[in-house]
Amino acid sequence: MGSNSFGHTFQISTFGESHGGGVGVIVDGCPPRLPITSEEIQADLDRRKPGQSSLTTPRQEDDQVEILSGLFEGYSLGSPISLIVRNKDARPSAYENMKSVYRPSHADYTTDAKYGIRNWQGGGRSSARATIAHVASGAIARKLLALAAGIEVVAWVSEVHGIGSTVDMDRVTTADVYNNDVRCPDASAATAMEAAIHNARKNQDSVGGIVTCVARGVPPGLGMPIFDKLEADLAKAMLSLPATKGFEIGSGFGGTLLTGSEHNDAFIPGEGDQKIATASNRSGGVQGGMSNGQPIFFRTAFKPTATISQTQNTVDQAGNATTLEAKGRHDPCVLPRAVPIIEAMTCLVLADHWLRQRSVDVLPPLG
Amino acid sequence: MGSNSFGHTFQISTFGESHGGGVGVIVDGCPPRLPITSEEIQADLDRRKPGQSSLTTPRQEDDQVEILSGLFEGYSLGSPISLIVRNKDARPSAYENMKSVYRPSHADYTTDAKYGIRNWQGGGRSSARATIAHVASGAIARKLLALAAGIEVVAWVSEVHGIGSTVDMDRVTTADVYNNDVRCPDASAATAMEAAIHNARKNQDSVGGIVTCVARGVPPGLGMPIFDKLEADLAKAMLSLPATKGFEIGSGFGGTLLTGSEHNDAFIPGEGDQKIATASNRSGGVQGGMSNGQPIFFRTAFKPTATISQTQNTVDQAGNATTLEAKGRHDPCVLPRAVPIIEAMTCLVLADHWLRQRSVDVLPPLG
Amino acid sequence: MGSNSFGHTFQISTFGESHGGGVGVIVDGCPPRLPITSEEIQADLDRRKPGQSSLTTPRQEDDQVEILSGLFEGYSLGSPISLIVRNKDARPSAYENMKSVYRPSHADYTTDAKYGIRNWQGGGRSSARATIAHVASGAIARKLLALAAGIEVVAWVSEVHGIGSTVDMDRVTTADVYNNDVRCPDASAATAMEAAIHNARKNQDSVGGIVTCVARGVPPGLGMPIFDKLEADLAKAMLSLPATKGFEIGSGFGGTLLTGSEHNDAFIPGEGDQKIATASNRSGGVQGGMSNGQPIFFRTAFKPTATISQTQNTVDQAGNATTLEAKGRHDPCVLPRAVPIIEAMTCLVLADHWLRQRSVDVLPPLG
Amino acid sequence: MGSNSFGHTFQISTFGESHGGGVGVIVDGCPPRLPITSEEIQADLDRRKPGQSSLTTPRQEDDQVEILSGLFEGYSLGSPISLIVRNKDARPSAYENMKSVYRPSHADYTTDAKYGIRNWQGGGRSSARATIAHVASGAIARKLLALAAGIEVVAWVSEVHGIGSTVDMDRVTTADVYNNDVRCPDASAATAMEAAIHNARKNQDSVGGIVTCVARGVPPGLGMPIFDKLEADLAKAMLSLPATKGFEIGSGFGGTLLTGSEHNDAFIPGEGDQKIATASNRSGGVQGGMSNGQPIFFRTAFKPTATISQTQNTVDQAGNATTLEAKGRHDPCVLPRAVPIIEAMTCLVLADHWLRQRSVDVLPPLG
């Protein structure tokens, strides 16, 4: 499988640089007869696109999706669904000075080291613009999960530059999240976060933070016991996103401060369909790599945006010391636009595992 | 690729349950002409095996590796190298009461939910014993990295139940790590950690902590810009290990407290072969998914061992409330034995990406 | 890997139906710094497109390729190269009567059986139009092979409806092949074949035949000893093309009539770079799945085109007997247009194995 | 996926050389709760083992299978099933003269060219002994197909050195096939074939031939429309076997002599469960890569055994002309022992596609 693909049974293959024809994705493995419209895909893309508010980059891109194949009369055919979004508001001239000078903590230098060639007219393949492919394909995964499995995925900005929030993850909705420009359902926290982001922009600086995501309604048994654990695939998905530096599920790093007797989730009789539940959920909904029917939740750390307007020390391609002043448009904080991307990757992981389980559970029960 | 396999070009396929014939691994994609001995593999297995010290489980397993194929006169043939370790000191009777009662925060329930069948005579496929396969194959990857690329990988226990340590990650050696039973190169921290572990055992309880790992000598350009980022593959590798709940690379979660100007790693002229270096290393040696020539370092969080001797509330297979008293032998803290496993997974990821880069860098330089 | 992808290291992922937005392909794994132009890709597409001569379907499609990503200033970037060709001369109305009536020996019925939905406005995903993706990506593989490895691939129509030909496969060139509309370098055979095709069209019927392909300059050692044998991957590639029913390499089915002493290729001292050669080449250039430095050649059988203008007995979706008169435009013989497709698949297989060998041959020679 | 693996969802990973510890296979993706015994696996291995009759090599190997993992109380667990067979009757001394002299039409030279190292004590990884892994894992696939899908697979020797046979492929059984040592259900043909094989041995020579295989009970819709066509995966499977040179499905090469009106399979109303059938089956049970509910049948060509006792011209490793007299034990005709191998590969392909279809057919019918 190519390195621009993700997933096993529900698989995406992506392409595109920030400056060039466009970006896109092929979804291979979406089951036939799924009703899906370009409007549903566009709705998720609109939550990702630049220029949504004063908190994001002023780069204007409509990011209109075009469906080239795989659908017929509103339903998936079972053949690959291909989606493209053309680049429009590209301004390569803004990057002229980056042709031979490396931006600190960007991928310019490592791209040259790896490939010996680089499209310097922007971030190239390493641009966050590439995540359009994730969001567009994730919208299809989301629809499949909702329709076939009753699974829903919601993410939100839970922390910005140390400012935390309080959110009820059993009940939070996308509408709650989109109540403000920060995409944090805790209104007072959101106000403080917004101020921190404006402050960073004013200082020609940037800030990072944490996105929390929850998946509700996941049936027990999804995921694999060894490498393709649900948390392992989620970790890979999240760490493959631009600017991410950490992932934790359930109790995470904080769990290392508890003893086993404090940390273990006691099993209790369940309710309704699910005859077994847990009294607590420090496991974060997965045990031994497989879902246990409780909400799956995890947190992803984003570093502060690497692009800042301040003059920075760096080197040129020859290794000579120089300075750089960034001119491209950029977000002082990527968190608000990261929310739909995190959700998309989560949907892709869950749709894949849900489909994989279809080929596990095929023989009659024992005895 | 099956869910019990890992890697793209240097690929392992693993098998085995804790109770049954044994566990093992096939390494497919090891280049021919690599000198490797069963002693080198055994040395890493011995660092993982139970019964090493008073800090670990008293389960006695020699864990002697047998090489079934792939070597000839001390060199790899290019064909699959298969390694098996037989199970010996299995005591299924100790697990009799777990036949129909689920251990809290273990994989018993999720295994039943997924497969509708379970080898209840131990942890089955979810036992940490399965990581023998990781360590045995990782030893081969380690040899390839050392010999062909000059890369070295060292991990250590950096935190136990909140007790931290100070370690110079540019210089720490395996000998430093193995100076004590905790596997922490900071001697005074190790003493405190050891006390904490003994205390936990005394209380019929358990503790968790953090393992830090560093890879030195990684050339710039390994890793991929999109899904198969070096940090993404490392995150998946670490979160696929038993009892792990979090992963962070470079600045990690702490990096969210800095601004961009504080966080960015300024480029500076390098020394010797490497003409470009960085003044700091908050990136953790990867930028945009690809190595930048600086040491790669990351931290993995382990929850406290789920198996504790205290009586716990739980349910049986039918969902009825009951209690459980664990009888199996177990580690009050998995960290000391996790060190070689973390190293092995790191070696597997790096060997894979180093080989993948061989098929990237094939055409002459431009201009 | 999705079922619409092909290859391991040089991998393509394809999409598109005959009627809909278009067809296309992503090439993932093309090494960076390969010079390639859309004109080179278009040249191969033009050899595949309909309407080239009186022997092919009158359907007019320009089949102009658009490159959406992966190139910069004439060179590959190492990131995915995406190519699309839009559908233009689609006439769904011609297929109206096939909405619920199955064309004999087509994929209409099996598509319905598999997916429970079908784009009846043409052949959908099973249309030969999908092979545009193969040819476009194959052109890139061809360029890599020529430039980096000195490998060349030539195919030709060697048999039509039992009319054979005589061709010197050590010397035949693409120019020889394209001397006539049949794409057979044996001029007198071509005349007879052309007459047979015109005759078939006149009779509202169709004919099949055989395409032979040779790859010259393949170094010894490409291919794998077990499943990914060169001949196995070539066989899969060829049998994955529309209308193919057989594949044979070297002596093929005819080789079953020889004894071992007649069939074996004696090794002899080689010339120039290659110190070992063979006195005969009944192996077809591969031994034990790996190339031996001799020309690789194989033959692929194509059945007569399933679409014919005669009235045929068939059933409708409900299983009721009915008759069908095909109205779509179609080729009385697919062979002439199959030549560049066979070449493309061969180039894809060889480029993949050539790149895979880069990660095999990395350690110094023994002794 | 490594080159020693085969299959997508039902996947095998194989290992082992002819001389060394042994050969084996991991089956990853077998659904849980499948009843399977080592006796069932052994039964298929016994049909492959050497020394069955005067027609095969006198090499004596019990080829006893050991199951190391994946089963519990007679049922599959869903975890990898690992099977090993140890090498016993190895006589490396018989190969001493092949250490530096290449056997014509064997893989000795290509192995050296590829890997720069070779286990010269036999055929190494290219030995037909490696197919033990195919047969052992194929037995599990066969059980799954029989139990879950009602599919049965039967192969037989249909031609030896030009001597053909007449077999009713709708009714032929394994018992019919194993009525004689040649494994040809046509008794009079079998007698002639047997004579031909004995004659070849007497002449220190060898013969080849054709194995035909039929799969009955395959439901419509298995297979994929593009690369992973059923016939493409079967072709790859067959051409990956030692000594195979050709594959044809349905009408095959002979189909090129028919016109479309002669070749097309008219659809007709079906009977019982299957409401649609075909009047003829020149398609060989697949149309557009997907099964159509008719018997799937195909033929595989085997060249005459490369190992013959006559003195042959060849070269040594340095490329100097020399001669070789084979001393190893070998089959004058591989066909009789190839029958279970062909069946195994067919079962593996079908089990994989049957499982893959489980994740395709998940949404409710339209309308």
Side-chain angles (χ1 to χ4, degrees):
Chain A
M1 190 172 85
S3 71
N4 294 280
S5 295
F6 186 80
H8 181 278
T9 297
F10 189 101
Q11 183 180 88
I12 62 168
S13 296
T14 69
F15 65 87
E17 292 90 37
S18 63
H19 297 74
V23 297
V25 61
I26 301 176
V27 179
D28 194 357
C30 180
R33 308 188 300 272
L34 180 73
I36 183 87
T37 65
S38 61
E39 286 73 23
E40 290 169 294
I41 298 167
Q42 193 62 50
D44 275 4
L45 285 175
D46 287 348
R47 295 197 286 133
R48 197 217 74 95
K49 76 175 177 186
Q52 290 177 65
S53 79
S54 62
L55 296 181
T56 59
T57 171
R59 177 170 170 163
Q60 293 293 333
E61 294 270 10
D62 266 352
D63 289 350
Q64 286 296 317
V65 68
E66 181 189 4
I67 304 175
L68 272 178
S69 69
L71 299 190
F72 184 62
E73 298 180 341
Y75 289 89
S76 63
L77 282 164
S79 51
I81 304 172
S82 53
L83 307 168
I84 59 172
V85 170
R86 295 195 173 262
N87 295 327
K88 288 193 175 147
D89 186 26
R91 299 186 198 165
S93 61
Y95 290 86
E96 186 78 40
N97 60 335
M98 294 164 201
K99 187 171 177 175
S100 61
V101 172
Y102 294 133
R103 292 173 295 165
S105 289
H106 267 276
D108 304 342
Y109 166 56
T110 52
T111 298
D112 266 352
K114 181 173 197 69
Y115 294 117
I117 182 175
R118 179 168 57 94
N119 180 344
W120 51 264
Q121 301 172 333
R125 186 67 180 140
S126 295
S127 166
R129 195 159 171 74
T131 58
I132 284 175
H134 309 34
V135 172
S137 53
I140 298 173
R142 184 195 300 273
K143 187 72 185 286
L144 175 64
L145 290 171
L147 206 80
I151 295 172
E152 83 183 317
V153 170
V154 180
W156 63 93
V157 175
S158 55
E159 202 173 309
V160 169
H161 200 229
I163 302 163
S165 60
T166 307
V167 174
D168 177 354
M169 74 175 83
D170 290 341
R171 281 176 194 77
V172 62
T173 66
T174 298
D176 298 336
V177 175
Y178 281 78
N179 249 338
N180 56 61
D181 291 343
V182 184
R183 315 313 186 196
C184 171
D186 174 340
S188 65
T191 307
M193 291 171 180
E194 198 163 335
I197 297 171
H198 280 302
N199 193 47
R201 185 201 293 276
K202 201 186 62 190
N203 295 336
Q204 297 189 302
D205 215 329
S206 63
V207 287
I210 296 171
V211 173
T212 299
C213 184
V214 65
R216 295 186 295 239
V218 180
L222 299 199
M224 300 286 179
I226 297 282
F227 299 115
D228 296 354
K229 290 186 174 187
L230 217 44
E231 62 268 45
D233 280 355
L234 288 168
K236 169 154 183 168
M238 299 310 142
L239 265 295
S240 78
L241 298 178
T244 56
K245 302 301 285 182
F247 169 91
E248 56 181 10
I249 188 161
S251 63
F253 281 89
T256 65
L257 305 177
L258 304 178
T259 65
S261 62
E262 292 163 349
H263 190 276
N264 280 355
D265 295 318
F267 283 111
I268 54 174
E271 286 168 14
D273 284 353
Q274 207 164 311
K275 66 183 181 187
I276 293 177
T278 58
S280 53
N281 189 13
R282 281 176 284 267
S283 298
V286 291
Q287 291 176 328
M290 297 165 282
S291 58
N292 69 354
Q294 301 304 308
I296 294 171
F297 67 93
F298 55 88
R299 307 188 336 139
T300 305
F302 287 81
K303 68 174 185 178
T305 317
T307 306
I308 54 176
S309 308
Q310 298 175 30
T311 301
Q312 295 182 86
N313 291 321
T314 188
V315 298
D316 63 18
Q317 264 184 303
N320 303 310
T322 183
T323 60
L324 179 82
E325 227 170 299
K327 286 191 189 131
R329 296 149 294 170
H330 48 266
D331 295 271
C333 178
V334 299
L335 278 287
R337 293 177 56 205
V339 166
I341 307 173
I342 293 271
E343 289 181 2
M345 291 309 295
T346 307
C347 290
L348 289 167
V349 168
L350 292 174
D352 192 36
H353 278 282
W354 186 81
L355 282 174
R356 291 176 80 172
Q357 184 64 10
R358 291 322 100 203
S359 60
V360 172
D361 201 18
V362 295
L363 293 170
L366 288 184
Chain B
M1 190 171 83
S3 70
N4 294 279
S5 296
F6 186 79
H8 182 275
T9 297
F10 190 102
Q11 184 179 88
I12 62 168
S13 295
T14 70
F15 64 88
E17 292 90 36
S18 63
H19 297 74
V23 297
V25 60
I26 300 175
V27 179
D28 194 357
C30 180
R33 308 189 300 273
L34 181 74
I36 183 88
T37 65
S38 61
E39 286 73 23
E40 291 170 296
I41 297 167
Q42 192 63 48
D44 275 3
L45 285 175
D46 287 348
R47 296 196 286 133
R48 196 218 75 94
K49 76 176 177 187
Q52 291 178 62
S53 79
S54 62
L55 297 181
T56 59
T57 171
R59 178 169 171 163
Q60 293 293 332
E61 292 271 9
D62 268 351
D63 290 349
Q64 287 296 316
V65 68
E66 182 188 4
I67 304 176
L68 272 178
S69 68
L71 298 190
F72 184 62
E73 298 181 340
Y75 288 90
S76 62
L77 281 165
S79 51
I81 304 172
S82 54
L83 308 167
I84 58 173
V85 170
R86 293 191 176 267
N87 295 328
K88 285 188 176 151
D89 186 26
R91 300 187 196 165
S93 62
Y95 289 87
E96 186 76 41
N97 61 337
M98 295 166 200
K99 188 170 175 174
S100 61
V101 173
Y102 294 132
R103 292 173 295 166
S105 289
H106 267 277
D108 304 343
Y109 166 57
T110 52
T111 298
D112 267 352
K114 181 174 196 68
Y115 294 117
I117 181 175
R118 180 169 57 94
N119 179 343
W120 51 264
Q121 302 171 331
R125 187 68 181 137
S126 295
S127 165
R129 195 159 171 74
T131 58
I132 285 175
H134 308 34
V135 172
S137 53
I140 298 174
R142 185 195 299 275
K143 187 72 186 285
L144 175 64
L145 290 172
L147 207 80
I151 295 171
E152 83 182 319
V153 170
V154 180
W156 61 93
V157 175
S158 56
E159 202 173 307
V160 169
H161 199 229
I163 303 165
S165 60
T166 306
V167 175
D168 177 354
M169 75 174 81
D170 290 341
R171 280 174 194 78
V172 63
T173 66
T174 298
D176 298 338
V177 174
Y178 280 79
N179 249 339
N180 57 62
D181 290 345
V182 185
R183 313 315 186 198
C184 171
D186 174 340
S188 65
T191 307
M193 291 172 180
E194 199 164 331
I197 297 171
H198 281 302
N199 193 48
R201 186 199 292 277
K202 201 187 62 191
N203 296 335
Q204 297 189 302
D205 215 328
S206 64
V207 287
I210 295 170
V211 173
T212 299
C213 184
V214 64
R216 295 185 296 239
V218 180
L222 299 198
M224 300 286 180
I226 296 283
F227 298 114
D228 295 355
K229 290 187 173 187
L230 216 44
E231 62 267 45
D233 280 355
L234 287 168
K236 169 155 181 167
M238 300 310 141
L239 266 295
S240 79
L241 299 178
T244 57
K245 301 302 284 183
F247 169 91
E248 57 181 8
I249 189 161
S251 63
F253 280 90
T256 65
L257 304 178
L258 304 178
T259 65
S261 61
E262 291 162 348
H263 191 276
N264 280 355
D265 294 319
F267 283 112
I268 55 173
E271 286 167 15
D273 284 355
Q274 208 162 313
K275 65 183 183 189
I276 293 176
T278 57
S280 53
N281 189 14
R282 280 176 285 269
S283 297
V286 292
Q287 292 176 327
M290 298 165 280
S291 58
N292 68 354
Q294 301 304 307
I296 294 171
F297 67 93
F298 55 88
R299 305 183 345 134
T300 305
F302 288 81
K303 69 174 185 177
T305 317
T307 306
I308 54 177
S309 308
Q310 298 175 30
T311 300
Q312 297 181 84
N313 291 321
T314 187
V315 299
D316 62 17
Q317 265 184 305
N320 303 312
T322 182
T323 59
L324 179 82
E325 227 171 300
K327 287 191 189 131
R329 296 147 297 168
H330 49 266
D331 296 271
C333 178
V334 299
L335 279 287
R337 291 177 59 205
V339 167
I341 307 173
I342 293 271
E343 288 182 3
M345 293 307 296
T346 307
C347 289
L348 289 167
V349 168
L350 292 175
D352 191 36
H353 277 283
W354 186 81
L355 282 174
R356 292 177 80 173
Q357 185 64 11
R358 293 320 100 201
S359 60
V360 171
D361 201 17
V362 296
L363 292 171
L366 287 184
Chain C
M1 191 171 83
S3 71
N4 294 279
S5 296
F6 186 80
H8 181 277
T9 297
F10 190 102
Q11 184 179 86
I12 62 167
S13 295
T14 68
F15 65 87
E17 293 90 37
S18 63
H19 297 75
V23 297
V25 60
I26 301 176
V27 179
D28 195 356
C30 180
R33 308 188 300 274
L34 180 74
I36 182 88
T37 65
S38 61
E39 285 73 22
E40 290 169 296
I41 298 167
Q42 193 62 49
D44 275 4
L45 285 175
D46 287 348
R47 295 197 286 134
R48 197 217 75 95
K49 76 175 178 188
Q52 291 177 63
S53 79
S54 62
L55 297 181
T56 60
T57 170
R59 177 168 171 165
Q60 292 294 331
E61 292 271 9
D62 267 352
D63 289 349
Q64 285 296 316
V65 68
E66 182 188 4
I67 303 176
L68 272 178
S69 69
L71 297 191
F72 184 61
E73 298 181 342
Y75 289 89
S76 63
L77 282 164
S79 51
I81 304 172
S82 54
L83 308 168
I84 57 172
V85 170
R86 293 191 175 266
N87 294 328
K88 287 190 175 151
D89 185 26
R91 301 188 197 163
S93 62
Y95 291 87
E96 188 76 42
N97 61 334
M98 296 165 201
K99 187 171 178 175
S100 61
V101 173
Y102 294 132
R103 292 173 294 165
S105 289
H106 267 276
D108 303 343
Y109 166 58
T110 53
T111 299
D112 266 353
K114 179 172 198 70
Y115 293 117
I117 181 175
R118 180 169 56 96
N119 180 343
W120 51 266
Q121 302 172 332
R125 187 65 181 142
S126 295
S127 165
R129 195 159 171 74
T131 58
I132 285 175
H134 309 34
V135 172
S137 53
I140 298 173
R142 183 194 301 272
K143 187 74 186 284
L144 175 64
L145 291 172
L147 207 80
I151 295 171
E152 84 182 317
V153 170
V154 180
W156 62 94
V157 175
S158 56
E159 202 173 308
V160 169
H161 200 230
I163 302 164
S165 60
T166 306
V167 175
D168 177 354
M169 76 174 80
D170 290 341
R171 281 176 194 78
V172 63
T173 67
T174 299
D176 298 338
V177 175
Y178 281 79
N179 249 339
N180 55 63
D181 290 345
V182 184
R183 314 315 185 196
C184 172
D186 174 340
S188 65
T191 306
M193 291 171 179
E194 198 163 332
I197 298 171
H198 281 302
N199 192 48
R201 186 200 292 277
K202 201 186 63 190
N203 296 336
Q204 297 190 302
D205 214 327
S206 64
V207 286
I210 296 171
V211 173
T212 299
C213 183
V214 65
R216 295 185 294 238
V218 180
L222 299 198
M224 300 285 180
I226 296 283
F227 298 115
D228 296 354
K229 289 186 175 187
L230 217 43
E231 62 267 44
D233 280 355
L234 287 169
K236 169 154 180 166
M238 298 311 140
L239 266 295
S240 79
L241 299 179
T244 56
K245 302 301 285 183
F247 169 90
E248 56 182 7
I249 188 161
S251 63
F253 280 89
T256 65
L257 305 178
L258 304 178
T259 65
S261 61
E262 291 162 347
H263 190 276
N264 280 356
D265 294 318
F267 283 112
I268 54 173
E271 286 167 15
D273 284 354
Q274 207 162 313
K275 65 183 181 188
I276 293 177
T278 56
S280 53
N281 189 14
R282 279 176 285 268
S283 298
V286 292
Q287 292 177 326
M290 297 165 282
S291 58
N292 68 354
Q294 301 305 307
I296 294 170
F297 67 93
F298 55 89
R299 307 188 336 139
T300 305
F302 288 82
K303 68 173 185 178
T305 318
T307 305
I308 53 175
S309 308
Q310 298 175 31
T311 301
Q312 296 181 85
N313 290 322
T314 186
V315 299
D316 63 18
Q317 267 184 303
N320 302 312
T322 181
T323 59
L324 179 82
E325 227 171 302
K327 287 190 189 134
R329 296 148 294 169
H330 49 267
D331 296 271
C333 177
V334 299
L335 279 286
R337 291 177 58 205
V339 166
I341 307 172
I342 293 271
E343 288 182 2
M345 292 309 295
T346 306
C347 290
L348 289 166
V349 169
L350 292 175
D352 192 35
H353 278 281
W354 185 82
L355 282 174
R356 292 176 80 173
Q357 184 64 9
R358 293 321 99 202
S359 61
V360 171
D361 200 18
V362 296
L363 292 170
L366 289 183
Chain D
M1 191 171 84
S3 69
N4 294 280
S5 296
F6 186 80
H8 182 277
T9 297
F10 189 101
Q11 183 180 88
I12 62 167
S13 296
T14 69
F15 64 87
E17 293 90 37
S18 62
H19 297 74
V23 298
V25 61
I26 301 175
V27 179
D28 195 355
C30 180
R33 308 189 299 274
L34 180 73
I36 182 88
T37 66
S38 62
E39 287 72 23
E40 290 169 296
I41 297 167
Q42 193 63 49
D44 275 2
L45 284 175
D46 287 348
R47 295 197 286 133
R48 196 218 76 96
K49 77 174 175 187
Q52 290 177 63
S53 79
S54 63
L55 297 182
T56 59
T57 171
R59 179 170 170 162
Q60 292 292 334
E61 294 270 10
D62 267 353
D63 290 348
Q64 286 296 317
V65 68
E66 182 188 4
I67 303 177
L68 272 178
S69 69
L71 298 191
F72 185 62
E73 299 180 341
Y75 288 90
S76 62
L77 281 165
S79 51
I81 305 172
S82 53
L83 307 168
I84 58 173
V85 170
R86 294 193 176 264
N87 295 327
K88 287 188 176 152
D89 186 24
R91 301 187 196 165
S93 62
Y95 289 87
E96 187 77 41
N97 60 336
M98 296 167 200
K99 188 170 176 174
S100 60
V101 172
Y102 294 134
R103 292 173 295 166
S105 288
H106 267 277
D108 304 342
Y109 166 57
T110 53
T111 299
D112 267 352
K114 181 174 196 70
Y115 293 117
I117 181 175
R118 178 168 58 94
N119 180 343
W120 50 265
Q121 302 172 331
R125 186 66 180 140
S126 294
S127 166
R129 196 160 170 74
T131 57
I132 284 174
H134 309 33
V135 172
S137 53
I140 299 174
R142 184 195 300 273
K143 186 73 187 284
L144 175 64
L145 290 172
L147 207 80
I151 295 172
E152 85 182 315
V153 170
V154 180
W156 63 92
V157 175
S158 55
E159 201 173 310
V160 169
H161 199 229
I163 302 164
S165 59
T166 306
V167 175
D168 176 354
M169 74 173 82
D170 289 342
R171 282 175 194 78
V172 63
T173 67
T174 298
D176 298 336
V177 174
Y178 281 79
N179 249 340
N180 56 63
D181 291 344
V182 185
R183 314 315 187 197
C184 172
D186 174 341
S188 64
T191 307
M193 291 171 181
E194 199 163 332
I197 297 172
H198 281 303
N199 193 48
R201 187 201 292 277
K202 201 187 61 189
N203 296 335
Q204 297 189 301
D205 215 328
S206 63
V207 287
I210 296 171
V211 174
T212 298
C213 184
V214 65
R216 295 185 294 240
V218 179
L222 299 198
M224 300 285 180
I226 296 282
F227 299 114
D228 296 355
K229 290 186 174 187
L230 216 45
E231 63 267 46
D233 280 356
L234 288 168
K236 169 156 183 168
M238 300 310 141
L239 267 294
S240 80
L241 299 178
T244 56
K245 302 302 284 181
F247 170 90
E248 56 181 9
I249 188 161
S251 63
F253 280 89
T256 65
L257 304 178
L258 304 178
T259 65
S261 61
E262 291 162 347
H263 190 276
N264 280 354
D265 294 318
F267 283 112
I268 55 174
E271 285 168 16
D273 284 354
Q274 208 163 311
K275 66 181 179 188
I276 293 177
T278 57
S280 52
N281 189 13
R282 280 174 286 266
S283 298
V286 292
Q287 292 176 327
M290 298 166 281
S291 57
N292 69 354
Q294 300 305 307
I296 294 171
F297 66 93
F298 54 89
R299 308 188 333 140
T300 305
F302 288 80
K303 68 174 184 179
T305 317
T307 305
I308 53 177
S309 308
Q310 299 175 29
T311 301
Q312 297 182 84
N313 291 321
T314 186
V315 298
D316 63 18
Q317 265 185 304
N320 302 312
T322 181
T323 60
L324 179 83
E325 227 171 299
K327 288 189 189 133
R329 296 149 295 170
H330 49 265
D331 296 272
C333 179
V334 300
L335 279 286
R337 293 176 57 204
V339 166
I341 308 173
I342 293 270
E343 288 181 3
M345 292 308 297
T346 306
C347 290
L348 289 167
V349 168
L350 292 175
D352 192 35
H353 278 282
W354 186 80
L355 281 174
R356 291 176 81 172
Q357 185 64 11
R358 293 319 100 204
S359 60
V360 171
D361 200 19
V362 296
L363 292 170
L366 289 184

